[in-house]
Amino acid sequence: GAETALLLAEERVGWSVPAGDAPALAAMMRRLVDDQQTVAAAASRAREVAARRFDRDQMVSHYRNVVRDLQEPRPARQP
């Protein structure tokens, strides 16, 4: 979805096309087949991003914080 497209664009690790837009997908694929240097550079960045953003210890810490936040009492809603 939109979060994935944003990650791809911000980190320059891949490309996205609008959902259901087959002509755009085909055009992107043709462009990338002809530009292996760009694909290789994006793949290298993707490995770096994955190691930095999705490190196991970092992810465990993140999910612990999420669970902790969900367990905290929240103020009652006013009608």
Side-chain angles (χ1 to χ4, degrees):
E3 279 188 50
T4 301
L6 184 61
L7 172 69
L8 295 174
E10 283 180 349
E11 299 287 354
R12 297 180 0 225
V13 296
W15 300 267
S16 65
V17 296
D21 190 342
L25 177 60
M28 179 65 66
M29 291 172 73
R30 279 192 299 273
R31 189 179 117 222
L32 295 174
V33 164
D34 293 334
D35 192 356
Q36 291 299 301
Q37 185 175 2
T38 296
V39 172
S44 178
R45 285 190 302 273
R47 284 187 290 278
E48 293 169 11
V49 168
R52 177 173 33 92
R53 291 184 67 162
F54 304 109
D55 170 74
R56 188 177 100 166
D57 293 337
Q58 187 176 12
M59 294 300 291
V60 168
S61 176
H62 170 76
Y63 285 114
R64 279 187 182 139
N65 291 336
V66 168
V67 170
R68 189 173 330 135
D69 290 347
L70 292 172
Q71 291 173 334
E72 290 180 6
R74 295 193 173 171
R77 287 184 146 182
Q78 297 298 322

